[in-house]
Amino acid sequence: MSDFDFVRVFAHSNPLLVGHMANLLEAAGVPVERRNLALGGGAGELPPGECEPEVWVAPHNRQRAETLIREAQSDGDDRPAWTCPGCGERLEAAFDTCWQCGRHRP
């Protein structure tokens, strides 16, 4: 397949984040192509935007891939902070288990 058979859906200077997004798409059944994974050393000699690792997908998967990436980048947790009913510890919304006593969020 040529470059025109795929579209870029994600690029970032952090290769771990790019790998995470690619893995997320693959886990959702969207085949991906990873590009520019080894070009970081060229930064300075090449324009920075040309050296960023990228995730590409087939055009028919673009909308689904962009939706999945957008959802992954949003905080996604609209729940409020909570207080553990077991020990009274105040916990942020991201936690489902109390770190103090191990009790699960009600």
Side-chain angles (χ1 to χ4, degrees):
M1 293 191 165
S2 71
D3 287 344
F4 301 108
D5 293 328
F6 283 80
V7 291
R8 186 178 78 172
V9 292
F10 189 75
H12 198 277
S13 59
N14 182 342
L16 295 175
L17 182 58
V18 173
H20 172 68
M21 292 300 174
N23 291 339
L24 177 112
L25 294 177
E26 288 177 328
V30 178
V32 304
E33 184 174 295
R34 294 167 170 92
R35 296 186 184 175
N36 298 346
L37 297 179
L39 285 181
E45 298 291 324
L46 299 169
E50 298 295 319
C51 299
E52 288 185 341
E54 303 170 334
V55 179
W56 292 62
V57 299
H60 66 275
N61 286 325
R62 180 182 197 154
Q63 185 175 3
R64 183 161 182 243
E66 288 175 345
T67 299
L68 290 166
I69 290 169
R70 196 171 32 258
E71 288 172 358
Q73 289 180 314
S74 70
D75 63 13
D77 197 348
D78 296 333
R79 299 179 300 177
W82 60 287
T83 301
C84 176
C87 68
E89 183 68 28
R90 183 83 175 143
L91 299 145
E92 294 191 27
F95 298 103
D96 287 329
T97 304
C98 176
W99 65 269
Q100 182 74 18
C101 71
R103 192 159 185 180
H104 292 288
R105 181 183 194 131

